[in-house]
Amino acid sequence: MTWRVTSSMEDELTCPVCLELYADPLILPCSHSVCKQCLQDIIHSKKEKTDNEEKIDCPSCRKPLDATKEALASLPRNLALENIVIRYTEECSKRLANKASIDLPSPEPSGGSEETEDVLPADFPVEHRQKCELCEGNTPSKAAWYCGQCSVAYCHPCLDKFHPKRGSLVRHKLRRPSDLESSNKEVFCQDHEAEAAAIFCDQCQSLVCHLCVCDGVGKHAGHKILDATTASGKIKELVSGKRQGLEKQLVSHAEQQTKLEELINEIKSIHKESESHIENQYKRLLADLSIILSQERDAILHSLAEEKNQCLRKLQHTMTESKQHIKQMHMLSQSCQELVEEKNVHATLINASRVEQLNKEVEQCANKTKEVNLQFEDCVKKKSSQVSDLYTGTRKFRHRAMAAVRLMLEEDEDQCKTIIPHIKSPTSPRSPQGQGRSEAPRVHNKYLITWGFTSTSFTAEELTANSSWTVTIDKNSTHMGNLNTGYLFGVGIASVPLNFKDLTGMNEKSLGIICSGGDIIFAKNSKQECLMQLPGLPVSVSVAVRMDQPNVMVFAYKISCTHWGDVLTGKHVVTDVLMKKKTYPVFTVSQRVKLLFPTFV
């Protein structure tokens, strides 16, 4: 920024006390400033004239101010004013130095450096690499001025020496140099400095003068020579071809860059989805383990609770009999006490007939006491047995829990025979069995579909051994609809053949993997546990049923899609006695999808 120094600015930077430029200015409470030393001089002068040194007047507005040491110590420095004074001093020194080195004319309408500088456009380049054209030696100084009439750039010493402010040179316009001048200057030959280089040697790719191409004399004699326009056009054509090649490469690289960004986003999306699947599978495994361990825990606790209740009932019965026996003994003891304390001899003789009865009752009481003692001893033994059963129950739970965990971690497909369920089409209830035309759901080429706008359930033949099967669910091209609403499909097992209107997993007779409301769900007795969102169609559901475990049955499932392969696996232990006795594969299909079975296993 160019500083314009005026007398009014110097007045603003002058202290009202010493009338010099501010030195270490302080801000007074009235917002005026004063030099630190001037303020100390005012306080010292006030102290000599009067004993009241606690008040002084502002040298600018005469407002009374506190002059105590605490008040003076708290006065802040005016750093902004101090920096302005320093900058002002530097600019003044620089201008004086410039005036001493180049005695330029004062501003006139005809010329002058300052005026010329003022009329330059705002975007005129200030930074330049121009060198002085009149400096002697191999290292010319940087140019400081440029004369438009002479078309020469000068440094400060050369301007004083070769362009003095005398004669006609007074009217020359000087300005700051720029790189624009060098582009319009005539180029001279490097070998013949006095000759203009106007010929282009195509072989050496350089500008030369007419002397350089003279036969027998010039260094470029016999070389292919081009005029400046032809050479310039040839160079531009060559560079233009290179530029077009670069532009093609840039387009190609830009396309690659776009594809790379798409690949990065795709990889991030794939990894994010993979992390989601892993997290979902992790939660599924923990949930399945928690469920089966909870089942084993509940079974052990139920067994211990039954043993506890049985033992407590026996103890309660023994305690009741003991209380009744104690009451009977108290009554016999009181009767004996009455006979012993009787003082009348005749009365004692009269009650002699009761003695024999008392003896019998005492003997019965003694026998009862032995019986109660035996029951008490048996209860004590039972208590020890209960403690032992508690420890045994803990070990039993651990053993059963570890067996359940091993069962959950086994690959069930290795233990099962792969089958294609054989499905018989049920008869429509609107037509009595064997009468008229059957309107049963259709089974074509190993796939299941329904008719109309309702869902239909199918039941396969009863399972007799460990079995596994796979079904693929795809869109039904003959029906369009939203896949994320309502009941879409179901694959599972049931304890009895389902009616064609019964939905898999939505009644007490069946369980399995269903899709409802856009979510894949494990459903049992109408209780639903959300597993994941439907990844899209087609999707495959594999089911494995193990019937070789004592008292339980294992229902394992695997959900796969064409994009990710195996997405989620899970397992449930079924304790339903009816399901253990008879098990049927069941399927439910809505009008929006079709269920396809493999053609071979």
Side-chain angles (χ1 to χ4, degrees):
M1 181 181 67
T2 304
W3 284 63
R4 301 295 180 185
V5 182
T6 62
S7 58
S8 60
M9 178 179 289
E10 188 168 350
D11 292 340
E12 294 296 331
L13 302 180
T14 300
C15 175
V17 178
C18 62
L19 301 180
E20 299 288 343
L21 294 177
Y22 283 108
D24 296 331
L26 300 177
I27 302 177
L28 300 176
C30 59
S31 300
H32 292 106
S33 298
V34 66
C35 296
K36 183 177 181 181
Q37 186 60 46
C38 293
L39 184 61
Q40 293 176 352
D41 292 343
I42 292 173
I43 295 173
H44 182 70
S45 175
K46 183 78 172 178
K47 185 178 179 181
E48 291 179 351
K49 294 180 180 179
T50 177
D51 294 335
N52 184 12
E53 58 177 349
E54 294 185 356
K55 293 289 183 178
I56 60 171
D57 295 332
C58 172
S60 296
C61 63
R62 301 303 176 185
K63 184 178 179 180
L65 304 172
D66 291 336
T68 60
K69 292 182 178 180
E70 293 79 6
L72 295 176
S74 63
L75 293 177
R77 290 177 62 187
N78 195 337
L79 296 177
L81 180 59
E82 186 175 354
N83 291 333
I84 293 173
V85 170
I86 294 173
R87 185 69 181 274
Y88 173 78
T89 305
E90 291 176 353
E91 291 297 326
C92 288
S93 301
K94 187 183 298 184
R95 291 178 62 80
L96 290 174
N98 290 339
K99 188 174 182 180
S101 61
I102 49 171
D103 188 13
L104 293 176
S106 58
E108 296 175 1
S110 61
S113 63
E114 286 192 14
E115 182 180 341
T116 306
E117 216 173 338
D118 289 344
V119 299
L120 289 176
D123 58 347
F124 193 85
V126 177
E127 295 295 331
H128 65 91
R129 296 186 298 274
Q130 278 278 72
K131 299 295 183 180
C132 178
E133 300 179 39
L134 299 180
C135 283
E136 297 179 355
N138 297 326
T139 56
S141 302
K142 187 176 181 180
W145 299 99
Y146 179 81
C147 179
Q149 283 74 14
C150 302
S151 298
V152 177
Y154 302 92
C155 63
H156 288 299
C158 291
L159 183 68
D160 293 337
K161 182 176 180 182
F162 301 109
H163 201 289
K165 189 191 66 172
R166 293 192 295 272
S168 62
L169 294 178
V170 174
R171 291 186 293 275
H172 284 198
K173 294 183 179 180
L174 296 176
R175 61 173 172 80
R176 300 296 182 187
S178 72
D179 292 334
L180 297 178
E181 289 82 31
S182 59
S183 61
N184 298 323
K185 283 193 173 183
E186 188 176 12
V187 180
F188 292 91
C189 180
Q190 294 182 354
D191 296 330
H192 309 91
E193 297 180 355
E195 301 293 334
I199 304 173
F200 184 76
C201 177
D202 190 49
Q203 179 176 336
C204 301
Q205 295 290 304
S206 61
L207 277 171
V208 298
C209 66
H210 63 97
L211 296 177
C212 294
V213 297
C214 291
D215 292 337
V217 179
K219 187 168 63 174
H220 299 273
H223 292 183
K224 184 179 179 180
I225 302 300
L226 299 175
D227 63 276
T229 304
T230 304
S232 175
K234 185 177 180 181
I235 292 173
K236 288 183 179 179
E237 182 180 358
L238 177 63
V239 174
S240 177
K242 297 296 182 182
R243 179 173 172 271
Q244 291 178 0
L246 285 174
E247 288 180 349
K248 291 181 180 179
Q249 294 180 23
L250 285 173
V251 172
S252 176
H253 281 291
E255 293 176 353
Q256 290 181 2
Q257 190 75 13
T258 302
K259 291 180 180 179
L260 284 174
E261 292 177 356
E262 292 176 354
L263 285 175
I264 290 173
N265 294 331
E266 186 176 353
I267 289 174
K268 288 182 178 179
S269 176
I270 291 173
H271 277 268
K272 185 177 180 180
E273 192 170 353
S274 178
E275 290 171 2
S276 175
H277 291 325
I278 292 172
E279 183 69 19
N280 198 15
Q281 182 63 73
Y282 165 75
K283 292 179 180 179
R284 182 75 265 135
L285 183 60
L286 287 183
D288 291 344
L289 287 173
S290 176
I291 290 172
I292 192 171
L293 290 177
S294 298
Q295 290 177 348
E296 296 297 336
R297 177 201 63 193
D298 294 342
I300 295 295
L301 291 178
H302 180 70
S303 175
L304 290 177
E306 287 187 348
E307 292 181 8
K308 179 191 73 173
N309 293 334
Q310 183 180 359
C311 181
L312 290 177
R313 284 195 298 269
K314 187 171 183 179
L315 288 173
Q316 194 68 34
H317 177 70
T318 302
M319 183 178 291
T320 302
E321 289 189 351
S322 178
K323 287 181 178 179
Q324 292 176 353
H325 182 56
I326 291 172
K327 184 177 180 181
Q328 186 179 4
M329 286 192 298
H330 276 299
M331 293 174 63
L332 287 174
S333 176
Q334 187 175 1
S335 298
C336 293
Q337 183 70 21
E338 290 176 355
L339 288 176
V340 170
E341 293 179 352
E342 181 61 53
K343 296 181 179 179
N344 191 327
V345 176
H346 295 284
T348 301
L349 295 176
I350 291 172
N351 292 324
S353 59
R354 293 175 54 194
V355 174
E356 184 177 356
Q357 181 64 28
L358 285 174
N359 287 333
K360 290 180 180 181
E361 291 178 359
V362 169
E363 289 179 1
Q364 292 176 356
C365 189
N367 294 331
K368 185 65 176 178
T369 300
K370 291 179 181 179
E371 183 180 346
V372 171
N373 289 339
L374 290 175
Q375 290 180 355
F376 173 74
E377 291 175 358
D378 185 52
C379 288
V380 172
K381 291 179 181 179
K382 282 289 185 182
K383 180 259 182 183
S384 300
S385 175
Q386 285 290 312
V387 174
S388 177
D389 288 345
L390 289 175
Y391 292 122
T392 304
T394 303
R395 291 194 298 271
K396 187 177 180 180
F397 169 70
R398 178 175 176 80
H399 174 73
R400 291 179 60 172
M402 295 303 295
V405 171
R406 286 192 293 271
L407 178 63
M408 294 296 291
L409 297 178
E410 285 183 358
E411 292 293 339
D412 298 287
E413 293 181 352
D414 299 338
Q415 310 294 328
C416 299
K417 179 183 178 182
T418 303
I419 64 170
I420 298 177
H422 183 66
I423 300 171
K424 293 182 179 180
S425 300
T427 325
S428 172
R430 291 181 293 177
S431 177
Q433 185 85 19
Q435 299 180 12
R437 180 176 175 271
S438 174
E439 297 181 8
R442 302 181 297 276
V443 180
H444 289 312
N445 299 326
K446 302 299 183 183
Y447 69 86
L448 302 178
I449 59 174
T450 186
W451 79 96
F453 297 95
T454 60
S455 298
T456 304
S457 292
F458 300 84
T459 303
E461 292 184 346
E462 180 184 353
L463 299 178
T464 58
N466 295 349
S467 304
S468 67
W469 60 92
T470 300
V471 60
T472 299
I473 300 93
D474 203 352
K475 294 179 181 179
N476 187 357
S477 58
T478 60
H479 289 79
M480 301 298 292
N482 190 352
L483 301 178
N484 295 324
T485 59
Y487 192 103
L488 194 64
F489 65 84
V491 180
I493 56 176
S495 59
V496 296
L498 295 182
N499 185 281
F500 81 103
K501 287 187 176 181
D502 293 335
L503 301 179
T504 300
M506 303 303 290
N507 51 68
E508 61 183 8
K509 298 175 290 186
S510 64
L511 61 90
I513 302 300
I514 71 171
C515 180
S516 179
D519 293 326
I520 294 181
I521 298 167
F522 175 78
K524 178 183 177 183
N525 296 341
S526 299
K527 296 180 180 179
Q528 301 182 11
E529 180 185 2
C530 183
L531 303 178
M532 59 181 289
Q533 288 185 341
L534 178 66
L537 296 180
V539 64
S540 297
V541 178
S542 300
V543 172
V545 178
R546 293 185 58 180
M547 311 172 69
D548 56 350
Q549 300 297 315
N551 304 321
V552 297
M553 183 171 60
V554 178
F555 177 84
Y557 59 87
K558 178 169 64 178
I559 302 168
S560 308
C561 65
T562 55
H563 179 63
W564 278 101
D566 296 346
V567 175
L568 185 67
T569 60
K571 194 179 296 187
H572 281 265
V573 175
V574 182
T575 57
D576 190 344
V577 177
L578 296 177
M579 192 79 72
K580 177 70 174 175
K581 289 182 179 180
K582 287 182 177 292
T583 306
Y584 300 88
V586 291
F587 309 89
T588 301
V589 56
S590 70
Q591 78 278 6
R592 292 166 289 173
V593 296
K594 56 185 177 181
L595 274 61
L596 299 93
F597 294 96
T599 56
F600 63 90
V601 294

